[in-house]
């Protein structure tokens, strides 16, 4: 019998407990689950984790084989020094599809200038014919599970896509650049800039005043990675001088975004409340069960976080 500890808020326990146990049962892996206090720490085999769970000392789970995050972003747990077990990020098809849909929607919105017609009332009969996607350059920062899927889909729509990551890679239809010294090149062509990077010591304030100044005048920014990637004050300044025409932000340094934050009232900012890509219970339960099944059979866990890199 596998014992799962859910280090999550009670509402998430209610959502995920049965789907994960069912998914394990279908793999002939009977399991029981509980919240902290329900299972003796030394009897726990796996920890299902999401920010908001009460456990902060993972040292007591001496038998635990892995901590499996329900979320793709792990910046709040990755630096926990008591965590000696492998930490696995969430990678699942629903999350990926959601991110692709959000990025495509807001890229097309920026590309077509749709806001002009949605916001102008009454509509004036003024025609603004946008270029075709084949004449629009989009840069995607971050080519991981989510960024590479978004970049591939944008390329499939015909956009001229540049992607940027730490390591060199090849993605069909995408000009891939790697490393800090290629970032200026990636920014210089970014009429639409899509950020899907994790928060790490290297990515905090990556888009500061100096880097924002490298964007083509009138560019659009979409941030679905983490709020800390962009210097808020520098972004407001770039918006005010027209360097950046508009920014669609899904993630913020403080969430919920405080009511007095200037983003709320800035006409160039569209806010979505961290909804770009949600973990979907059904597909996530399958992904977690797959990873536990691998571990139980002696196969290496998937999507293990490299703690030296914080993602
Ligand atoms: P991932 O597979 O780990 O990919 C991360 C990507 O970022 C990789 O391509 C990596 O480069 C790149 N990267 C990391 N540090 C870098 C640096 N210093 N310089 C250049 N590139 C760097 O992560 P993912 O699953 O795609 O998720 C990405 C992030 O999206 C998550 O960490 C989370 O913050 C965010 N997210 C947001 C939402 C939302 O609803 N808004 C939902 C889910 C996730 P390499 O490929 O070279 O390693």
């Amino acid at each position: 019998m596998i014992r799962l500890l859910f280090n999550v808020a009670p509402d998430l326990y209610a959502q995920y407990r049965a789907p994960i146990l069912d998914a394990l049962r279908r793999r002939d892996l009977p399991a029981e689950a509980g919240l902290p206090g329900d299972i003796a720490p030394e009897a726990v085999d796996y920890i299902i984790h999401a920010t908001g769970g009460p456990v902060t000392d993972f040292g007591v789970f001496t038998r635990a084989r892995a901590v499996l995050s329900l979320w793709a972003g792990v910046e709040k747990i990755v630096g926990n020094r008591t965590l000696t077990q492998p930490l696995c990020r969430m990678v699942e098809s629903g999350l990926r599809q959601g991110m692709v849909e959000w990025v495509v929607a807001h890229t097309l919105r920026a590309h077509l200038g749709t806001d002009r017609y949605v916001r102008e009332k009454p509509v004036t009969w003024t025609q603004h014919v946008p270029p075709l996607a084949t004449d629009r350059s989009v840069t995607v920062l971050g080519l991981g599970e989510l960024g590479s899927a978004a970049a591939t889909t944008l390329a499939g729509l015909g956009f001229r896509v540049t992607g940027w990551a730490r390591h060199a890679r090849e993605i069909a239809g995408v000009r891939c650049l790697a490393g800090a010294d290629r970032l200026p090149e990636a920014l210089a062509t970014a009429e639409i800039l899509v950020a899907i990077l994790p928060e790490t010591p290297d990515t905090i304030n990556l888009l500061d005043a100096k880097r924002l100044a490298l964007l083509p005048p009138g560019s659009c920014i979409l941030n679905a990675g983490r709020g800390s990637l962009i210097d808020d004050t520098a972004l407001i300044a770039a918006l005010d001088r027209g360097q950046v025409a508009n920014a669609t932000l899904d993630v913020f340094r403080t969430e919920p975004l405080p009511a007095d934050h200037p983003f709320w009232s800035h006409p160039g900012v569209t806010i979505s409340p961290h909804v770009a890509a949600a973990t979907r219970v059904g597909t996530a339960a399958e992904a977690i069960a797959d990873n536990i099944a691998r571990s139980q059979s002696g196969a290496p866990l998937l999507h293990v976080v490299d703690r030296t890199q914080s993602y």
Side-chain angles (χ1 to χ4, degrees):
M1 177 70 71
I2 297 170
R3 293 189 181 84
L4 305 181
L5 176 81
F6 277 71
N7 184 35
V8 304
D11 61 325
L12 287 178
Y13 183 58
Q15 285 177 52
Y16 280 90
R17 182 181 183 280
I20 291 175
L21 291 180
D22 286 348
L24 286 169
R25 201 171 300 123
R26 285 195 300 279
R27 288 161 178 78
D28 290 326
L29 293 171
E32 61 181 25
L35 288 165
D38 295 345
I39 308 174
E42 61 278 7
V44 169
D45 295 300
Y46 297 92
I47 300 171
I48 312 294
H49 174 83
T51 309
V55 170
T56 54
D57 179 2
F58 292 87
V60 296
F61 302 104
T62 48
R63 176 192 165 99
R65 294 199 193 183
V67 174
L68 305 164
S69 172
L70 290 181
W71 309 151
V74 291
E75 70 280 357
K76 291 204 169 74
I77 184 179
V78 72
N80 185 319
R81 289 177 186 277
T82 69
L83 186 67
T84 52
Q85 304 86 349
L87 169 65
C88 300
R89 306 179 307 105
M90 177 54 71
V91 174
E92 60 96 0
S93 59
L95 185 64
R96 189 183 308 118
Q97 177 68 17
M99 183 60 85
V100 168
E101 291 179 10
W102 188 93
V103 169
V104 168
H106 290 285
T107 299
L108 286 175
R109 175 180 148 238
H111 167 62
L112 298 173
T114 312
D115 287 3
R116 178 181 289 123
Y117 305 112
V118 173
R119 287 182 180 159
E120 272 181 25
K121 293 277 171 55
V123 174
T124 56
W125 194 267
T126 310
Q127 294 174 315
H128 299 271
V129 178
L132 293 173
T134 43
D135 293 319
R136 179 77 76 188
S137 296
V138 181
T139 291
V140 179
L141 303 181
L143 294 173
E145 293 292 333
L146 304 177
S148 60
T152 298
T153 305
L154 293 174
L157 289 172
F159 287 103
R160 296 177 187 170
V161 182
T162 297
W164 180 78
R166 279 179 60 234
H167 303 97
R169 62 179 57 219
E170 285 185 17
I171 301 175
V174 178
R175 181 177 71 124
C176 294
L177 305 175
D181 56 347
R182 304 297 298 276
L183 181 57
E185 204 178 329
L187 296 176
T189 56
E191 291 176 87
I192 300 172
L193 180 69
V194 183
I196 317 183
L197 289 161
E199 176 179 307
T200 73
D202 289 338
T203 63
I204 290 175
N205 286 328
L206 186 84
L207 296 173
D208 59 8
K210 200 177 78 191
R211 300 244 176 69
L212 290 172
L214 299 176
L215 293 169
S219 59
C220 302
I221 293 179
L222 314 182
N223 186 10
R226 283 293 178 261
S228 58
L229 303 176
I230 307 183
D231 177 334
D232 291 7
T233 308
L235 177 58
I236 298 268
L239 285 160
D240 287 344
R241 68 172 187 279
Q243 174 87 34
V244 175
N246 56 67
T248 297
L249 309 175
D250 186 62
V251 284
F252 305 90
R253 284 165 191 268
T254 305
E255 295 183 3
L257 185 65
D260 60 351
H261 196 288
F263 283 160
W264 283 115
S265 56
H266 199 289
V269 177
T270 299
I271 290 166
S272 64
H274 204 138
V275 291
T279 300
R280 307 289 164 151
V281 178
T283 37
E286 297 299 327
I288 286 196
D290 279 345
N291 226 357
I292 290 175
R294 287 177 67 89
S295 170
Q296 289 296 111
S297 71
L301 288 157
L302 296 175
H303 317 304
V304 177
V305 172
D306 176 352
R307 278 183 246 173
T308 65
Q309 298 300 330
S310 303
Y311 74 95

